[in-house]
Amino acid sequence: MTIFPLLTDRQALMWSLKLKGLDNISIAKKLKISRQAVSKALSIAELKIVKSLLEVAKASKIEVRNIIPNKSILIGYSYEFNREAIITFSTSNGIYVWYRNHGNCKSCPLIKKCKEILIREANERGIILSNEEINLPPSKLAEIIFRKIGVIS
């Protein structure tokens, strides 16, 4: 069973493979199903993900600036916190809202948890992190991961 019940187990598996960079044909070969079945499942999954990203943005009072469906990412702005927000979906973490923060993570009690979530996010997306990057505070690690994903500059 998936951590995030938005997708079926099969859709979640396909979406995870897609986030790692596999194309539909490669996913079909790996799962021994037709390319059409992969295409249909990923289209349905993408619609569910985009709808959920938009719902989370609305609930979090985040103005939507850009949606990148194939990366399951929404870029927005929170006037409440006066900062850019990135909402992500991955099958390993579900949906998370990340506020761009240049603050001091060392004093935060969630530092270890944030780091674990970010590392899972990177792993699911096939992003290689150096030991030096892994040892950075979560706010800096998030910047590196989102740069490598290609959603921030």
Side-chain angles (χ1 to χ4, degrees), residues 1-2 13 15 19 28 53 57 59 105 108 114 126 133:
M1 179 173 247
T2 61
L13 174 60
W15 194 262
L19 285 180
L53 292 172
C105 290
C108 179
C114 284
E133 290 169 330

Side-chain angles (χ1 to χ4, degrees), residues 62 76-85 99-103:
I62 294 171
Y77 191 83
S78 169
Y79 290 101
E80 182 176 3
F81 296 121
N82 196 29
R83 62 189 61 221
E84 189 175 29
Y99 294 97
R100 288 189 78 179
N101 179 9
H102 304 289

Side-chain angles (χ1 to χ4, degrees), residues 19 66-68 70-75 84 86 88 100 125 127 142-153:
L19 285 180
N66 190 14
I67 300 175
I68 308 161
N70 65 326
K71 294 184 179 186
S72 52
I73 290 180
L74 182 148
I75 308 287
E84 189 175 29
I86 300 171
T88 61
R100 288 189 78 179
R125 294 171 184 274
I127 295 170
E143 291 284 322
I144 288 169
I145 291 169
F146 293 130
R147 253 188 219 100
K148 288 184 177 190
I149 293 171
V151 296
I152 62 170
S153 50

Side-chain angles (χ1 to χ4, degrees), residues 1-151:
M1 179 173 247
T2 61
I3 188 171
F4 195 75
L6 171 73
L7 304 178
T8 66
D9 289 344
R10 195 72 161 168
Q11 288 169 338
L13 174 60
M14 288 183 216
W15 194 262
S16 181
L17 293 171
K18 176 186 170 111
L19 285 180
K20 280 191 169 78
L22 272 69
D23 61 20
N24 289 8
I25 293 171
S26 300
I27 294 170
K29 285 180 183 175
K30 185 172 183 72
L31 300 179
K32 297 179 173 70
I33 59 175
S34 72
R35 183 197 53 76
Q36 294 84 355
V38 170
S39 182
K40 182 177 179 181
L42 288 176
S43 292
I44 292 167
E46 187 173 289
L47 288 172
K48 290 178 178 180
I49 291 166
V50 168
K51 181 180 178 191
S52 294
L53 292 172
L54 289 167
E55 287 174 1
V56 169
K58 182 179 178 182
S60 303
K61 299 179 195 156
I62 294 171
E63 177 185 82
V64 177
R65 301 258 170 103
N66 190 14
I67 300 175
I68 308 161
N70 65 326
K71 294 184 179 186
S72 52
I73 290 180
L74 182 148
I75 308 287
Y77 191 83
S78 169
Y79 290 101
E80 182 176 3
F81 296 121
N82 196 29
R83 62 189 61 221
E84 189 175 29
I86 300 171
I87 305 174
T88 61
F89 169 80
S90 64
T91 58
S92 58
N93 291 325
I95 291 185
Y96 266 85
V97 179
W98 303 95
Y99 294 97
R100 288 189 78 179
N101 179 9
H102 304 289
N104 184 0
C105 290
K106 291 177 185 168
S107 63
C108 179
L110 299 176
I111 187 171
K112 185 177 178 185
K113 183 176 181 175
C114 284
K115 196 173 271 206
E116 289 169 356
I117 293 165
L118 284 163
I119 291 169
R120 279 196 310 268
E121 193 76 31
N123 287 340
E124 182 164 332
R125 294 171 184 274
I127 295 170
I128 307 293
L129 297 170
S130 69
N131 286 335
E132 182 181 328
E133 290 169 330
I134 289 170
N135 290 320
L136 290 170
S139 59
K140 295 198 183 314
L141 179 58
E143 291 284 322
I144 288 169
I145 291 169
F146 293 130
R147 253 188 219 100
K148 288 184 177 190
I149 293 171
V151 296

